[in-house]
Amino acid sequence: MERISAKIVAEMLGFTTTNLKHYAVLLEQNGLEIYRNSRNHREYTQDDVKILKAMQYLNREKSMSLDDVAIKVTSSDFDPDVLLSQQLPQIVAQNGANISVVKQESDNALRILAELSTLLAEQKAIREELLARDKLQIEFMSTIDCKLAQQAEAMKEQAATIEAINMELETLRQAEKPTSLWARLFGGK
């Protein structure tokens, strides 16, 4: 079942997110379970939205208190579709609108909003995956840089050792170098 974010539901109903949260808390206190995602944020189904619309209608149009409305809409014999279908002709009569067009536009809007919510969730998951990959790449490059620096230091030490060995060899060669006959006869080494 498709879920809709709290922000989108609040916009659909003309609520602030704080008002929506208040309505949701009342519903939960009366036994309705509203889905929560991994970050513990509420996400609503189309049925939840219908119940919220019914609450809004009963509170505003029938002047019922929110506590009473929450009890009514969470009772087992309450059907939000029946209440909303009774409400729709009043809206049509007031606005001179075509009932089928209004209902179809409402259904299309809910479907589009649900699809958008799904796409946004997928986009967020992809963004988080890319950030995780970037972090791994940065760690990998840092490790490579560290290894390269260690290798460069080892190469410098080896070059210095080779130079010292070469100097020692040259000194030994000079010490072992045979002296010429001429140098031996006239006092040189």
Side-chain angles (χ1 to χ4, degrees), residues 58-145:
L58 291 171
N59 177 251
R60 291 182 181 173
E61 302 299 322
K62 301 296 183 184
S63 301
M64 291 178 68
S65 73
L66 283 176
D67 290 330
D68 292 340
V69 169
I71 292 168
K72 180 176 181 86
V73 299
T74 55
S75 67
S76 60
D77 61 340
F78 181 77
D79 184 359
D81 290 326
V82 171
L83 178 68
L84 294 174
S85 67
Q86 293 169 356
Q87 175 191 4
L88 198 54
Q90 293 172 357
I91 294 170
V92 171
Q94 290 172 354
N95 298 318
N98 181 336
I99 190 165
S100 62
V101 172
V102 171
K103 182 166 180 16
Q104 182 180 1
E105 286 180 6
S106 174
D107 291 345
N108 286 342
L110 287 174
R111 183 182 50 77
I112 290 169
L113 287 173
E115 288 175 13
L116 282 174
S117 179
T118 301
L119 289 173
L120 288 172
E122 289 173 2
Q123 181 185 25
K124 182 180 177 189
I126 290 169
R127 187 179 314 118
E128 288 174 357
E129 182 180 338
L130 287 173
L131 289 173
R133 286 183 182 181
D134 286 347
K135 183 179 176 185
L136 286 174
Q137 184 178 10
I138 290 168
E139 289 174 2
F140 176 75
M141 294 303 290
S142 176
T143 302
I144 294 294
D145 288 343

Side-chain angles (χ1 to χ4, degrees), residues 140-184:
F140 176 75
M141 294 303 290
S142 176
T143 302
I144 294 294
D145 288 343
C146 184
K147 295 285 184 187
L148 286 173
Q150 290 172 352
Q151 289 293 324
E153 189 63 35
M155 288 173 66
K156 284 180 186 177
E157 290 174 7
Q158 289 172 353
T161 303
I162 289 171
E163 184 64 30
I165 290 172
N166 283 337
M167 290 177 70
E168 216 175 291
L169 278 173
E170 188 59 34
T171 305
L172 288 174
R173 281 188 194 132
Q174 291 292 331
E176 292 178 359
K177 191 174 186 183
T179 55
S180 68
L181 180 61
W182 188 259
R184 281 184 272 165

